Amino acid sequence: MLINHPLLGLRDAQEFVYKGDASLLQRPQYDSDNALDAFTNYAYLRSNPAGLHQELWYHEQGDRSWLVVTRNTLTHEIVNVELASEVDA
Amino acid sequence: MSRRVSPGRIGKKPVNFSFDGRSFQGYAGDTLASALLANDQMLLGRSFKYHRPRGLITLGSEEPNALVTIGSGARQTPNTRATTQELYEGLSASSQNRYPSLKFDLLSVNDRLSRFLTAGFYYKTFMWPRSFWESVYEPLIRRAAGLGKLSEVEDADQYDKGFLHCDCLVIGGGIAGLEAALEAAHQGKAVILCDENPRLGGMELFDSAPIDSVEGLIKELQSLSNVRLMSRTTVQGAFDHGVYSALTQNTDHLAQPHKAAPRQTLWRIYSSEAVLASGAHERMIAFDNNDRPGVMLSSALRGYLNYFGVLAGDTCAVFGCHDDARKTVVDLHAAGAKVIWIDTRSAHEPVDGVQCFTDARVVDTRGRHRLKGIEIEQGGERFWLPCDALGVAGGWNPRVQLTCHQGGRPRWSNDVGGFISGTDLPPGMRVVGAAAGEYLRGNWSPVWDVSKRGSAFVDPQNDVTVKDIKLAHQEGFISVEHLKRYTTLGMATDQGKNANTLGIGVLSQHTGNAIESVGTTLFRPPYTPVAIGALAGRARGKAFKPTRLTPSHEFATRQGASFVTVGNWLRAAYFPQAGETHWRESVDREALAVRNAVGVCDVTTLGKIDVQGRDAAQFLNLVYANGFLKLPVGKTRYGLMLREDGIVFDDGTAARLSENHFVVTTTTANAVPVYRHMEFVHQCLAPNLDVHLISTTESWAQFAVAGPRSRELLQRIVDLEISNEAFGFMACAETRLLDGTPARLFRISFSGELAYELAVPARFGNSLMQTLLEVGADLGATPYGTEALGVLRIEKGHAAGNELDGRTTAVNLGLGQMVAQTKDSIGRVLANRDLLANSTLRLVGFRSDQQILTGSWLIPPGRSSEQDNTLGWVSSACYSPNLGCYIAIGFISDADQYLGAQLRAVSLLDKVDVGVSVVSPHFIDPEGERLRV
Amino acid sequence: MDYSIFRVVKEALRNHKGWGPAWRNPQPKPSYDILIVGGGGHGLATAFYLASRYGLRNIGVLEKGWLGGGNVGRNTTIVRSNYMLPGNEPFYELSMKLWEGLEQELNYNAMVSQRGVLNLCHSDAQRDAFRRRGNAMLLQGADAELLNADGVRELYPYLNFDDARFPILGGLLQRRGGTVRHDAVAWGYARAADRLGVDLIQNCEVLDFRIENGVVSGVETSRGFIGATKVGVAVAGSSSRLMSKVGIDLPIESHVLQAFVSEGLKPLIPGVITFGAGHFYISQSDKGGLVFGGDIDGYNSYASRGNLPVVEDVCEGAMGLMPMLGRARLLRSWGGIMDMSMDGSPFIDRTAIPGLFFNGGWCYGGFKATPASGLCFAHLLATGSSHEVAAQMRLDRFVRGAMIDEKGQGAQPNLH
């Protein structure tokens, strides 16, 4: 696979480390009333669609950017790539 | 006798080779197959199951039968298709899967038993007695199975990998591929054309017509700078986003390759556009005994004649169901063979002087090691005619393999009489030429099974017959996938190229269902089998992974250190001195030196992360479970890092060098994951914090200088007042050595002694190590390695990798109170989950006068050795030279209750059962007084 | 019709005319007591044990394609019970014991072949972990041996001992581990279940569940509605997709795992070997093909195919461990979709919807688990309570902090 890095252009996916569903950007408040449930869901229940999936990739053998990649899990087609730090969580 | 009737297209340069020990001569440009055929060697191998005699069927890489072993020893290559092996001087080949010889093979008895050995027979028997499977039946089956042999010697050859980029990748160098390449080149694209054969030109080369136009195209392409022509290069896989793998065979055709030449090169080709011009290959018709040596595809019979100048038989029969058969008939006739033409059609253009049977079919053959005759059925009558070669034209299978590699499903085309690519091609790929069914369309119907008894081979290598297909269907294995798996149809080394379409056709004929509804044939990478060595490239032996050396590696080597692999690092384990005969002597001495004088250890491998920015403290406060906001400048703090799930991730230190500048250390094993995690926390969870991270693990050489005399030693070389008052416990500073070398000094201790870690730019590391030991010689300065480091930390009760196994919590480690409950931090919330927070498992110490084995389980005396009676396990153990006994640390449940108790440390694996007393894990200086002196 | 050598001979002598279908091809009934969704190994085993051990009869298995077409047909055939944690080991050991009597129980030769599974270690820390695990195996009634380098050399003299980047220090051997002919497992269970009256319905895709008054009452399928008192889902690889129909989110990610087979070779590797310093394991099939694999590709995927970097990584492992494999050729590759769970361990549990039960999250360990998974799922479906060896395989374990994390990687499915 190739990932179109917003700063570096097309890079082989082999340079990246995969983390998973981009819902990991939405970390709950530690001091909310239902923090335990919210964190359990945050850590363990992730979106796992057959189709478009927003997911986190880390350019470990590159510029060390965390990217949010929108990729189709049925075809592996990538339709969008953004810097995670610029995505509104 | 020689069957060579002309130089064909290869010329007449003689080349000597051997097959099964017999010497032969062929011509340069021959394949092993054509050379053997020219020498009238029709019998080349034995089939997989029935060990039936087999000759070659095809011209190319789809050959299922003519598999041989090339060479011997470290270059012994089994299962090589004789049809693709180029001949070279001295080539030595041998037949395989036969005993004792190719002509007389004992296991050919299987052929006699074939009525018992039908598809799936083994699922129905060999069940009794139960113990006989592993001891009797299976060993027999395994010995009989398999094809060629590996030598069990390390492969002597090297393999390379390479990366190529182009705008248009053309796969196949036949006329369609050459034209596509030229068109793309004229559009200004960077073009790569790959062809698996040594010579470009594709099927045109095997026809009798002149090949001027092909040669013209090749010449023009060769003249263009934006075109790269790669012969002997097979595109093996079409992967996501325009990534293709291709394999070049560099030396397999050479008698004496250059020593340094890689045998093969695996290319990763990046191309947004690909043109599949891979052509088509012919297929067999199922008639009884269609597998005898001498029965081949019509195109093969023709190709051996036209390209290699080899006429396979004196009397050649051609059996076909479409126009292509005629081309073979014409060429054979012109070459002077006696030709018999059997065609299933009722009318077609005749060839003068050739006996032709229309509305006819070949239904059976005879001849054990070589075809002797064929039985023809015409108008309800059957009769035998003698012949010694038969070419079968059953139709063409477009080579659609690569179109399937991303899930594409080929569809049946009645026009083409074969499966062509579906619409779901890999993005950027288009299919041209015969691969797309061009040139193949015509008004004819495929003929599948014309056998009388079903003893017709559909998958020749795996010996799957029409009978097997019928039986599988009868037993309910109806889907094509079931059929494949139950009969092994299409699972041979030709990857189903010969068997799949024919099998589907046979099934369609017998069920009366249209081919479209029977199923399709799918292909996965690789296109042809690929040497495992080529896929590995240079990553083998010592080069399997990079080796990371510590800055003082050269020093340690000179000292005769024994090294240990830690991840990719090579670290000094201990430094044996003259007279020491056992590693324990060295380790005990080193550990004692630290406790009694001063030791120096290279700890560069610990991860180092530079954290800078206005919000650096706030960032670390989020990353670590304990607080960091109030850490004063010039101080270091132990930091406990949790994963978000509340389990301990890593531990280390963070030193505040200035208001906005911290240096974080991690364990060796977690240097990379911790850095990744910290970037995640920063970029993904707290992007608004003003903080920047960089890994400096390799930039700084760092040494632990530990022991009661460490201050004395360091004061001699650092340009900094380091008295206890001026530079107390956990102090840190950026400083210089007396010689001006920039340095960082941390007063931290892993050993439990007065200790420091001193860091200098990595390039000064080796000399600093030497300097420390020279300057401290009178103080007893001693280099120590990872073994003594381990002893010291166990004596002190510090957790390390064995304790931080990804399941332990801060509570388990006895560090529960470190997880601050007044602030947010990664893992803090989930660490409070019921079973984690209330776990009674704790890190404790064990003492014994006998050796305690790491990985033992703790069981109370008098209880039997089973899981329910275990209290916990030993995570790290050693001999303590300071305490003069064996000690260990580990985890037990209800630890408070067992403190002071006697337990057994049991290793059933080693049949060791040792009495231990449960103690505090802090064996040495539990109050930490030595750290603060 | 029982299978036996006598029967094979008898049929051969009359041209195999007497072999009937291995299983019927029934029309679905309007309703069943228990419906199993998924005609793979686990679903078929569940149906078989429901009928054979729990005496239930009115059982249907719904398969969207053909029986055994999922992961039971595309794995590397390894069976072992070399787990450490109490939540896992008794379960896998039960599975091993069921494997040991499987063929006689099913009257089907699945070629259960106990030629040993050897995990190699290359560092002291790894050996420590193996000793801890091996002892846990012995304490829980399985078999295990800890070998030193010489012991490994005796079994496999051609491994890379002399020029290795990561020298082999020893290994953890489970002699009772081995391989089983994977397709035959599905077919054997299918045939045995069918003979006990279970309806195996192929080409019947479950499109949705019907829930009435909060309770499951059947399934909507491509062949119409089929009623059921209880529905058990065993569709690893498609778990998230199917369970999302009723709004159930699972602690599972779907990942692709590739596997590879070489051309046929004469016997070379008797048992199963796993490399401890790279992503590589290998065995040799009775047909002679080397069957090998490594890590998952590592990204969420429902496409049954992987990419080149993993192929290369696995072959690097192969050459790192066994440099004699250089000239053996990789023949075929394939990819399957794994239910990668958040702690690397599976689920056999009820769901929040009464009557709806779930079996999944097998990561890449599902094949070896087939018999125990079937038995424990059958137990749960028949009795309403968890089988004792599967008692920890609960969906709510993350809320409680009762993870079963053999690898210690936490909530990162692609690292399990």
Side-chain angles (χ1 to χ4, degrees):
Chain A
M1 288 197 289
L2 302 176
I3 293 175
N4 194 6
H5 191 301
L7 306 175
L8 303 171
L10 283 177
R11 308 299 310 175
D12 197 306
Q14 203 176 357
E15 296 173 0
F16 294 78
V17 172
Y18 181 79
K19 187 164 179 80
D21 188 30
S23 65
L24 287 168
L25 293 173
Q26 283 120 41
R27 188 167 178 270
Q29 285 292 319
Y30 81 101
D31 50 1
S32 64
D33 289 343
N34 63 346
L36 196 57
D37 283 346
F39 268 90
T40 305
N41 291 343
Y42 169 75
Y44 294 105
L45 292 181
R46 299 177 194 167
S47 164
N48 184 29
L52 286 183
H53 183 224
Q54 287 202 308
E55 54 198 27
L56 287 162
W57 292 75
Y58 173 57
H59 200 197
E60 184 148 281
Q61 291 169 60
D63 76 339
R64 308 183 305 278
S65 288
W66 278 92
L67 306 181
V68 175
V69 175
T70 308
R71 191 176 56 95
N72 189 324
T73 60
L74 289 165
T75 62
H76 297 169
E77 184 194 11
I78 291 174
V79 297
N80 193 35
V81 185
E82 298 166 273
L83 291 171
S85 57
E86 292 180 358
V87 171
D88 285 333
Chain B
M1 70 172 281
S2 170
R3 293 201 167 272
R4 190 88 64 174
V5 295
S6 81
R9 298 195 198 275
I10 62 171
K12 297 184 74 165
K13 187 181 161 223
V15 173
N16 299 296
F17 70 102
S18 73
F19 178 63
D20 275 347
R22 284 183 59 196
S23 297
F24 295 100
Q25 201 172 68
Y27 293 150
D30 261 328
T31 60
L32 177 60
S34 66
L36 285 167
L37 199 61
N39 284 284
D40 204 31
Q41 296 297 301
M42 197 55 97
L43 174 64
L44 299 181
R46 291 275 171 172
S47 66
F48 179 77
K49 185 169 164 189
Y50 301 142
H51 288 248
R52 286 172 65 97
R54 291 287 165 76
L56 53 85
I57 296 185
T58 74
L59 269 174
S61 61
E62 60 275 11
E63 175 59 35
N65 281 350
L67 303 185
V68 298
T69 299
I70 305 288
S72 60
R75 289 199 162 82
Q76 178 172 319
T77 315
N79 301 339
T80 303
R81 286 148 294 183
T83 50
T84 58
Q85 175 62 52
E86 294 176 57
L87 204 63
Y88 56 80
E89 183 64 32
L91 181 150
S92 160
S94 50
S95 58
Q96 45 187 46
N97 200 32
R98 82 288 186 266
Y99 179 83
S101 74
L102 185 56
K103 277 218 161 131
F104 179 74
D105 178 5
L106 284 175
L107 272 176
S108 59
V109 68
N110 284 0
D111 195 20
R112 307 278 160 133
L113 298 175
S114 63
R115 67 155 64 183
F116 301 101
L117 310 183
T118 49
F121 79 97
Y122 30 77
Y123 299 124
K124 298 168 182 162
T125 180
F126 301 133
M127 284 175 277
W128 306 97
R130 213 169 100 175
S131 64
F132 269 38
W133 176 250
E134 279 97 343
S135 60
V136 180
Y137 305 133
E138 192 183 40
L140 284 173
I141 293 173
R142 283 174 85 87
R143 264 204 297 279
L147 296 164
K149 258 196 184 116
L150 281 182
S151 67
E152 302 189 22
V153 179
E154 172 166 2
D155 186 354
D157 273 310
Q158 292 260 28
Y159 301 84
D160 253 345
K161 287 186 186 176
F163 297 81
L164 296 170
H165 298 259
C166 63
D167 302 316
C168 180
L169 171 65
V170 180
I171 302 157
I175 191 121
L178 295 169
E179 282 173 352
L182 194 61
E183 188 189 335
H186 284 158
Q187 291 165 5
K189 292 174 179 165
V191 177
I192 293 175
L193 182 146
C194 299
D195 191 283
E196 60 177 338
N197 298 303
R199 186 164 160 188
L200 299 180
M203 289 302 286
E204 305 282 315
L205 301 179
F206 300 110
D207 281 343
S208 51
I211 51 169
D212 303 350
S213 61
V214 168
E215 287 182 331
L217 279 168
I218 295 170
K219 264 209 186 94
E220 185 171 0
L221 286 165
Q222 280 168 337
S223 73
L224 297 172
S225 61
N226 55 337
V227 176
R228 177 167 177 167
L229 301 176
M230 300 174 74
S231 58
R232 294 192 181 94
T233 301
T234 309
V235 176
Q236 297 287 5
F239 298 93
D240 283 317
H241 307 165
V243 179
Y244 296 84
S245 66
L247 187 77
T248 301
Q249 294 189 291
N250 302 310
T251 66
D252 287 331
H253 62 293
L254 299 176
Q256 280 175 322
H258 189 280
K259 267 205 314 238
R263 178 184 173 219
Q264 299 175 348
T265 306
L266 181 78
W267 300 101
R268 197 182 290 191
I269 303 176
Y270 298 86
S271 182
S272 53
E273 189 186 318
V275 181
L276 185 67
S278 46
H281 59 85
E282 208 167 18
R283 66 172 175 260
M284 187 54 71
I285 294 172
F287 48 89
D288 288 326
N289 296 306
N290 61 346
D291 65 326
R292 297 198 192 280
V295 180
M296 60 182 84
L297 296 167
S298 150
S299 54
L301 200 53
R302 184 166 85 231
Y304 284 111
L305 174 63
N306 292 325
Y307 188 82
F308 298 104
V310 178
L311 183 55
D314 299 326
T315 304
C316 298
V318 176
F319 172 34
C321 56
H322 64 99
D323 280 343
D324 205 67
R326 187 175 188 279
K327 283 165 78 175
T328 305
V329 169
V330 169
D331 292 352
L332 290 168
H333 182 59
K338 177 166 188 268
V339 183
I340 309 166
W341 181 6
I342 306 98
D343 204 297
T344 58
R345 294 171 300 174
S346 50
H348 52 73
E349 190 187 344
V351 177
D352 283 348
V354 170
Q355 188 181 12
C356 177
F357 301 91
T358 53
D359 262 332
R361 47 190 52 184
V362 173
V363 291
D364 202 351
T365 70
R366 65 180 173 217
R368 179 119 192 101
H369 291 154
R370 155 138 224 176
L371 183 69
K372 291 207 171 92
I374 54 174
E375 189 180 18
I376 298 170
E377 183 186 88
Q378 188 186 34
E381 289 192 23
R382 289 178 184 167
F383 49 93
W384 287 89
L385 287 180
C387 69
D388 53 357
L390 169 64
V392 181
W396 291 85
N397 296 332
R399 296 180 203 258
V400 294
Q401 280 81 357
L402 288 160
T403 70
C404 301
H405 286 187
Q406 291 176 35
R409 298 179 75 82
R411 60 197 155 95
W412 177 255
S413 160
N414 270 325
D415 277 3
V416 173
F419 284 97
I420 57 172
S421 64
T423 48
D424 41 6
L425 294 170
M429 181 185 284
R430 64 195 167 92
V431 190
V432 301
E438 285 173 39
Y439 329 128
L440 305 178
R441 294 189 165 83
N443 187 17
W444 64 286
S445 298
V447 172
W448 306 110
D449 173 24
V450 296
S451 68
K452 298 175 292 184
R453 299 186 306 276
S455 300
F457 289 82
V458 178
D459 187 320
Q461 187 184 107
N462 277 355
D463 286 333
V464 181
T465 62
V466 167
K467 230 181 335 194
D468 292 319
I469 293 176
K470 286 183 180 169
L471 180 60
H473 194 261
Q474 177 186 333
E475 293 191 54
F477 295 89
I478 290 163
S479 92
V480 169
E481 284 297 326
H482 272 163
L483 176 69
K484 248 173 64 180
R485 288 155 186 270
Y486 195 62
T487 63
T488 74
L489 177 90
M491 311 290 257
T493 61
D494 64 341
Q495 299 153 305
K497 292 189 184 85
N498 293 283
N500 285 4
T501 303
L502 180 54
I504 289 171
V506 169
L507 197 56
S508 155
Q509 179 179 333
H510 288 287
T511 56
N513 297 325
I515 290 195
E516 299 86 306
S517 68
V518 169
T520 183
T521 171
L522 296 174
F523 298 96
R524 301 179 185 284
Y527 170 69
T528 51
V530 179
I532 290 171
L535 288 160
R538 303 246 165 190
R540 55 193 269 205
K542 295 275 192 236
F544 170 58
K545 293 281 174 199
T547 303
R548 301 175 77 181
L549 302 179
T550 62
S552 65
H553 184 80
E554 188 266 336
F555 164 84
T557 307
R558 260 192 292 120
Q559 296 286 312
S562 174
F563 291 95
V564 61
T565 319
V566 183
N568 285 340
W569 289 101
L570 216 50
R571 297 186 72 180
Y574 53 94
F575 298 81
Q577 286 195 347
E580 290 174 346
T581 55
H582 190 274
W583 63 271
R584 263 278 308 283
E585 290 178 74
S586 314
V587 174
D588 288 357
R589 173 182 48 74
E590 291 171 16
L592 287 167
V594 173
R595 296 264 179 248
N596 299 322
V598 57
V600 184
C601 181
D602 190 329
V603 295
T604 303
T605 61
L606 297 178
K608 300 182 233 19
I609 300 165
D610 220 63
V611 181
Q612 299 195 38
R614 282 191 306 278
D615 300 323
Q618 201 185 331
F619 173 73
L620 292 180
N621 205 46
L622 176 61
V623 168
Y624 283 116
N626 51 325
F628 272 84
L629 289 179
K630 293 176 188 156
L631 180 67
V633 171
K635 279 291 185 188
T636 307
R637 182 169 287 172
Y638 175 78
L640 182 67
M641 205 177 282
L642 306 184
R643 300 191 308 228
E644 191 67 275
D645 65 358
I647 303 294
V648 174
F649 180 17
D650 198 61
D651 68 347
T653 60
R656 193 166 202 169
L657 296 177
S658 67
E659 183 64 24
N660 298 332
H661 185 190
F662 291 77
V663 172
V664 163
T665 65
T666 76
T667 61
T668 299
N670 282 329
V672 171
V674 165
Y675 180 71
R676 183 189 306 152
H677 170 70
M678 286 171 64
E679 285 288 7
F680 169 77
V681 173
H682 172 224
Q683 294 178 41
C684 297
L685 304 183
N688 297 326
L689 293 185
D690 179 51
V691 60
H692 296 273
L693 311 171
I694 191 155
S695 165
T696 60
T697 305
E698 292 86 352
S699 313
W700 292 86
Q702 193 149 317
F703 298 92
V705 182
R709 310 197 74 173
S710 56
R711 179 184 297 130
E712 223 177 322
L713 167 54
L714 283 172
Q715 193 64 80
R716 294 178 185 178
I717 67 162
V718 294
D719 190 8
L720 183 75
E721 161 68 45
I722 57 168
S723 66
N724 200 29
E725 296 69 35
F727 199 75
F729 182 52
M730 299 305 272
C732 67
E734 285 186 289
T735 178
R736 287 185 179 275
L737 304 187
L738 289 169
D739 65 6
T741 307
R744 289 168 174 176
L745 188 65
F746 312 88
R747 187 172 161 188
I748 52 180
S749 175
F750 195 47
S751 57
E753 295 300 323
L754 169 68
Y756 303 80
E757 288 189 13
L758 176 62
V760 295
R763 63 188 183 279
F764 303 122
N766 201 51
S767 69
L768 175 60
M769 182 76 174
Q770 283 182 92
T771 305
L772 283 165
L773 293 168
E774 281 163 22
V775 170
D778 61 317
L779 305 174
T782 302
Y784 68 102
T786 55
E787 289 292 339
L789 189 76
V791 169
L792 295 163
R793 71 100 189 167
I794 295 171
E795 287 178 340
K796 184 62 187 171
H798 274 312
N802 279 12
E803 285 70 43
L804 311 183
D805 67 358
R807 287 177 291 263
T808 41
T809 62
V811 169
N812 298 148
L813 293 169
L815 302 175
Q817 75 291 348
M818 278 189 76
V819 183
Q821 297 298 321
T822 50
K823 61 151 190 166
D824 190 12
S825 68
I826 303 295
R828 165 212 186 293
V829 172
L830 291 182
N832 286 338
R833 279 179 288 173
D834 186 24
L835 293 177
L836 301 184
N838 297 318
S839 165
T840 63
L841 199 68
R842 290 289 181 285
L843 186 70
V844 294
F846 307 105
R847 283 181 84 128
S848 179
D849 50 8
Q850 288 170 279
Q851 188 181 1
I852 308 168
L853 290 173
T854 303
S856 301
W857 289 75
L858 294 148
I859 299 173
R863 307 289 287 275
S864 62
S865 296
E866 55 192 285
Q867 182 71 28
D868 288 349
N869 291 333
T870 60
L871 295 170
W873 67 96
V874 174
S875 53
S876 300
C878 67
Y879 175 76
S880 167
N882 291 289
L883 299 171
C885 66
Y886 291 94
I887 61 168
I889 55 175
F891 296 89
I892 58 173
S893 306
D894 298 317
D896 301 344
Q897 188 186 321
Y898 287 99
L899 213 57
Q902 287 290 315
L903 296 175
R904 295 152 49 216
V906 178
S907 176
L908 295 176
L909 285 169
D910 306 276
K911 302 189 173 57
V912 167
D913 190 331
V914 177
V916 298
S917 50
V918 182
V919 296
S920 153
H922 311 296
F923 296 92
I924 298 262
D925 188 28
E927 305 305 321
E929 285 162 11
R930 297 190 194 183
L931 302 165
R932 295 182 170 81
V933 292
Chain C
M1 180 197 330
D2 275 335
Y3 287 161
S4 69
I5 181 76
F6 309 109
R7 180 82 198 194
V8 168
V9 170
K10 189 176 154 196
E11 286 303 330
L13 296 175
R14 53 174 191 153
N15 260 333
H16 300 281
K17 291 210 167 66
W19 297 118
W23 45 78
R24 297 166 296 130
N25 202 5
Q27 287 300 312
K29 293 187 214 164
S31 77
Y32 291 89
D33 292 343
I34 298 181
L35 265 182
I36 306 297
V37 183
H42 291 222
L44 293 167
T46 304
F48 169 72
Y49 291 117
L50 277 170
S52 68
R53 303 254 176 135
Y54 295 91
L56 300 174
R57 281 299 176 271
N58 190 22
I59 302 161
V61 176
L62 307 181
E63 166 54 47
K64 73 174 169 187
W66 36 280
L67 297 176
N71 288 335
V72 73
R74 53 184 82 184
N75 56 73
T76 46
T77 79
I78 297 167
V79 299
R80 56 185 171 88
S81 63
N82 55 1
Y83 287 74
M84 180 174 78
L85 300 176
N88 273 332
E89 179 60 11
F91 173 88
Y92 287 102
E93 181 51 26
L94 171 65
S95 211
M96 184 60 82
K97 293 206 167 76
L98 291 168
W99 284 121
E100 287 170 333
L102 185 80
E103 293 151 314
Q104 291 70 31
E105 191 170 2
L106 300 183
N107 179 235
Y108 205 87
N109 184 2
M111 303 180 202
V112 177
S113 178
Q114 295 177 288
R115 284 173 281 119
V117 171
L118 176 64
N119 302 149
L120 296 171
C121 64
H122 310 261
S123 70
D124 288 345
Q126 230 171 3
R127 185 169 44 204
D128 292 346
F130 278 4
R131 184 179 277 114
R132 181 179 166 198
R133 173 149 62 102
N135 278 320
M137 289 163 64
L138 290 169
L139 289 163
Q140 296 177 76
D143 67 305
E145 289 168 50
L146 194 60
L147 304 182
N148 59 19
D150 287 340
V152 173
R153 202 189 283 261
E154 229 166 80
L155 290 177
Y156 295 106
Y158 42 70
L159 301 184
N160 189 0
F161 290 94
D162 303 323
D163 180 40
R165 173 71 181 79
F166 301 102
I168 296 165
L169 299 189
L172 183 63
L173 174 66
Q174 184 178 31
R175 290 195 193 267
R176 285 162 64 242
T179 59
V180 182
R181 168 84 180 104
H182 55 345
D183 291 321
V185 173
W187 302 336
Y189 273 119
R191 176 170 162 275
D194 175 84
R195 294 173 79 189
L196 293 171
V198 173
D199 279 359
L200 308 177
I201 301 156
Q202 304 186 70
N203 298 306
C204 181
E205 182 174 7
V206 171
L207 306 170
D208 206 346
F209 301 92
R210 189 180 286 181
I211 312 290
E212 288 175 27
N213 304 320
V215 178
V216 76
S217 65
V219 293
E220 311 286 350
T221 78
S222 54
R223 293 167 69 168
F225 173 76
I226 305 175
T229 314
K230 291 177 184 171
V231 176
V233 175
V235 296
S238 301
S239 296
S240 297
R241 268 199 282 192
L242 191 57
M243 297 307 280
S244 70
K245 308 277 186 197
V246 280
I248 293 178
D249 289 331
L250 295 170
I252 284 173
E253 280 182 6
S254 301
H255 285 259
V256 64
L257 175 67
Q258 300 189 64
F260 311 93
V261 64
S262 79
E263 296 178 338
L265 295 160
K266 287 293 173 194
L268 189 69
I269 302 172
V272 180
I273 311 171
T274 70
F275 187 23
H279 309 127
F280 176 67
Y281 62 89
I282 188 165
S283 67
Q284 187 171 18
S285 77
D286 284 347
K287 265 190 78 187
L290 305 176
V291 182
F292 58 103
D295 251 9
I296 55 176
D297 268 43
Y299 42 81
N300 286 43
S301 176
Y302 285 90
S304 300
R305 60 190 163 82
N307 273 296
L308 187 57
V310 166
V311 186
E312 295 182 44
D313 184 59
V314 168
C315 290
E316 287 174 9
M319 290 300 282
L321 181 64
M322 306 171 86
M324 64 141 173
L325 293 182
R327 304 176 100 82
R329 296 189 195 86
L330 187 156
L331 175 64
R332 267 199 318 276
S333 66
W334 65 95
I337 303 305
M338 310 290 115
D339 267 11
M340 295 302 296
S341 74
M342 287 290 161
D343 59 358
S345 293
F347 308 98
I348 299 177
D349 201 1
R350 55 184 65 245
T351 68
I353 298 170
L356 182 59
F357 297 82
F358 178 72
N359 172 321
W362 292 100
C363 301
Y364 35 78
F367 178 66
K368 72 179 90 67
T370 306
S373 168
L375 184 62
C376 293
F377 201 32
H379 184 94
L380 177 66
L381 283 160
T383 68
S385 59
S386 292
H387 191 287
E388 61 174 350
V389 300
Q392 294 191 41
M393 295 174 174
R394 304 286 301 276
L395 283 160
D396 70 349
R397 63 177 180 258
F398 302 110
V399 181
R400 293 179 287 122
M403 289 77 76
I404 316 172
D405 190 348
E406 291 277 344
K407 281 198 176 172
Q409 294 292 353
Q412 190 58 43
N414 60 351
L415 297 181
H416 286 293

